[in-house]
């Protein structure tokens, strides 16, 4: 590996975005971006940065909705991930997992026309508190949405997991 490649890779790991800048073409750069004494091509013009290094932390809007990708809160509301199992919501300019759609048809549509069949969620799947259905994982375990994720709760004996209403179960 050349010195410039090592320095660039090393700069990517630094927590401060302005700690390293590319130096002159053919040489390496210190923390201030100035070429070092080992620069071999002193006659060429320095490479101009198109934007400050801090711009690397800006979320860029992309066309594919996926967890962590950028979105526009003014126009993007809900979308399905490419796996058609995850419903996404645009929050703070970033797509975030809203709930999983493991049932027949999974996740389909976009925005207000989006549909999600929750089906049989798995412990740890994202869910919407107060809207997600609960179920009996076993006769002694209730699977319910708590804190935005599905969790199994062991019923205290002699209680058993029983229906409480449509799509709702409880330890009774």
């Amino acid at each position: 590996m050349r010195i410039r490649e090592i320095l660039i890779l090393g700069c990517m790991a630094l927590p401060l975005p302005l700690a390293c800048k590319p130096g002159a073409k053919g040489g390496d750069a210190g923390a201030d971006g100035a070429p070092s004494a080992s620069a071999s091509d002193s006659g060429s013009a320095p490479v101009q940065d198109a934007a400050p290094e801090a711009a690397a932390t800006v979320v860029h809007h992309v066309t594919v909705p996926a967890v962590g990708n950028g979105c526009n809160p003014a126009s993007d509301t809900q979308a399905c991930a490419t796996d058609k199992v995850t419903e996404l919501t645009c929050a703070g300019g970033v797509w975030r997992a809203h709930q999983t759609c493991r049932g027949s048809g999974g996740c389909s549509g976009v925005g207000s026309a989006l549909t999600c069949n929750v089906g049989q969620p798995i412990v740890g799947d994202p869910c919407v508190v107060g809207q997600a259905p609960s179920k009996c994982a076993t006769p002694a375990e209730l699977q319910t949405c708590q804190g935005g994720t599905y969790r199994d709760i062991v019923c205290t004996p002699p209680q058993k997991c029983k229906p409480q209403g449509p799509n709702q179960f409880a330890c009774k």
Side-chain angles (χ1 to χ4, degrees), residues 80-152:
C80 297
T82 55
D83 65 5
K84 301 297 182 195
V85 173
T86 309
E87 178 183 342
L88 306 171
T89 187
C90 180
V94 177
W95 287 112
R96 301 180 193 281
H98 188 62
Q99 65 182 344
T100 52
C101 314
R102 296 189 183 278
S104 174
C107 184
S108 62
V110 118
S112 62
L114 185 136
T115 60
C116 173
N117 182 345
V118 176
Q120 298 295 316
I122 298 171
V123 171
D125 279 353
C127 57
V128 181
V129 177
Q131 295 178 9
S134 59
K135 69 173 191 167
C136 293
T138 69
E141 286 183 320
L142 170 70
Q143 188 178 78
T144 189
C145 180
Q146 288 186 336
T149 58
Y150 276 100
R151 300 171 196 258
D152 277 350

Side-chain angles (χ1 to χ4, degrees), residues 4-92:
R4 179 178 173 89
E5 291 170 333
I6 293 170
L7 287 174
I8 289 173
L9 290 174
C11 292
M12 289 179 184
L14 292 175
L16 299 173
L18 295 174
C20 297
K21 295 181 185 175
K25 184 177 181 180
D28 58 351
D32 63 354
S36 71
S38 66
S40 60
D41 190 6
S42 60
S44 63
V47 175
Q48 296 296 320
D49 289 339
E53 291 292 322
T57 59
V58 174
V59 175
H60 296 283
H61 299 290
V62 294
T63 57
V64 177
V67 173
N69 281 357
C71 60
N72 183 351
S75 62
D76 297 330
T77 55
Q78 294 174 303
C80 297
T82 55
D83 65 5
K84 301 297 182 195
V85 173
T86 309
E87 178 183 342
L88 306 171
T89 187
C90 180

